[in-house]
């Protein structure tokens, strides 16, 4: 029975890893759609968000079944409960990528007139997708210190978010107020995506140490 239970725990981890992969791909595609005004790619991201919703539901149902049918000890219980929490955060990451894709579709065929702004969003897409990639690795092999690693990576995202806000609110901004507001909102989507990655890493580290890192 315990061997079967551990196999189901491993399967739960695989389900979360698959969600991370979808999130990373969605962020990369959403960013490309945003920068190139690619409506078809934006539609793909919106479709993948539906897939993530289903994956989250399956992950939660699987975790609930393990709690109902098994008697997990402390470490195992932390893993099951973390899966429920993390699946919700990962689904939210998919929502944020979908928001970016939806904006790309809405503003088509428009693109960023500012080269610095476009480069900022390219970097944001690269950094946040890489964070999701790293999360996929960490789910398979969580360790004490993983939260700090992702938190450090998120600092670069926060710095870029702040730079974009500084750019669109400066006296030198030559775009419209609507364009500035749109850029600020988009930057916020990326910043929140990074925050969700950190939140997942924090909860995963808890499964290893039994204490939430700060």
């Amino acid at each position: 029975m315990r061997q079967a239970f551990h196999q189901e725990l491993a399967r739960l981890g695989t389900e979360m890893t698959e969600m991370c992969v979808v999130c990373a791909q969605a962020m990369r595609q959403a960013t490309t759609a945003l920068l190139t005004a690619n409506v078809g790619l934006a539609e793909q991201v919106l479709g993948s968000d539906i897939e993530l919703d289903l994956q989250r539901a399956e992950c939660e149902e699987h975790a609930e079944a393990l709690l109902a049918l098994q008697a997990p000890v402390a470490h195992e219980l932390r893993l099951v409960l973390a899966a429920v929490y993390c699946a919700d955060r990962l689904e939210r990451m998919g929502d944020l990528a979908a928001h970016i894709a939806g904006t790309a579709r809405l503003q088509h065929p428009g693109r960023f007139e500012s080269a610095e702004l476009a480069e900022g969003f390219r970097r944001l897409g690269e950094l946040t997708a890489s964070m999701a990639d790293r999360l996929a690795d960490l789910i398979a092999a969580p360790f004490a210190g993983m939260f700090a690693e992702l938190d450090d990576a998120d600092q670069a995202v926060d710095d870029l978010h702040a730079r974009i806000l500084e750019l669109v609110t400066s006296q030198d901004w030559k775009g419209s107020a609507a364009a500035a507001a749109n850029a600020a909102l988009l930057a916020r989507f990326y910043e929140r995506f990074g925050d969700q990655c950190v939140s997942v890493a924090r909860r995963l580290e808890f499964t290893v140490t039994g204490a939430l890192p700060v």
Side-chain angles (χ1 to χ4, degrees), residues 1 30 45 187:
M1 287 291 291
V45 176

Side-chain angles (χ1 to χ4, degrees), residues 2-213:
R2 301 309 296 174
Q3 182 179 0
F5 180 60
H6 289 152
Q7 288 174 345
E8 288 302 306
L9 282 178
R11 180 183 153 206
L12 199 56
T14 299
E15 290 170 354
M16 288 192 295
T17 298
E18 291 171 351
M19 291 184 72
C20 281
V21 171
V22 173
C23 286
Q25 181 181 29
M27 181 53 84
R28 287 191 172 94
Q29 290 179 331
T31 301
T32 299
L34 181 68
L35 296 176
T36 63
N38 189 324
V39 175
L41 198 55
E43 294 287 355
Q44 288 184 38
V45 176
L46 295 170
S48 71
D49 186 47
I50 297 173
E51 177 187 346
L52 268 174
D53 292 344
L54 296 174
Q55 287 178 301
R56 184 209 65 192
E58 290 173 0
C59 190
E60 289 178 349
E61 290 172 6
H62 189 187
E64 290 167 1
L66 285 176
L67 290 175
L69 300 175
Q70 302 288 343
V73 296
H75 173 66
E76 296 167 343
L77 182 60
R78 290 198 299 268
L79 285 171
V80 175
L81 295 178
V84 175
Y85 177 89
C86 293
D88 180 72
R89 300 299 90 193
L90 290 166
E91 188 268 335
R92 179 57 182 156
M93 287 161 61
D95 288 343
L96 291 162
H99 291 338
I100 295 167
T103 302
R105 182 176 63 176
L106 183 64
Q107 68 183 22
H108 179 270
R111 300 190 190 187
F112 295 113
E113 295 181 3
S114 165
E116 183 178 359
L117 199 58
E119 175 60 16
F121 281 111
R122 186 196 68 78
R123 285 286 296 140
L124 280 174
E126 180 182 275
L127 289 169
T128 50
S130 293
M131 289 177 71
D133 286 335
R134 182 58 177 150
L135 265 183
D137 296 333
L138 294 174
I139 288 171
F143 63 92
M146 60 185 290
F147 165 75
E149 178 185 334
L150 267 292
D151 196 42
D152 287 344
D154 189 47
Q155 186 58 56
V157 176
D158 291 344
D159 290 344
L160 270 172
H161 173 239
R163 174 56 189 154
I164 287 174
L165 292 183
E166 179 185 357
L167 182 66
V168 300
T169 57
S170 72
Q171 294 182 346
D172 296 330
W173 172 250
K174 295 181 173 56
S176 65
N182 187 56
L185 184 59
L186 282 166
R188 177 63 173 166
F189 293 150
Y190 285 97
E191 189 266 341
R192 289 301 300 150
F193 188 101
D195 285 349
Q196 298 299 339
C197 286
V198 173
S199 183
V200 171
R202 183 171 185 259
R203 191 55 59 101
L204 288 174
E205 183 167 331
F206 171 69
T207 68
V208 177
T209 65
L212 286 170

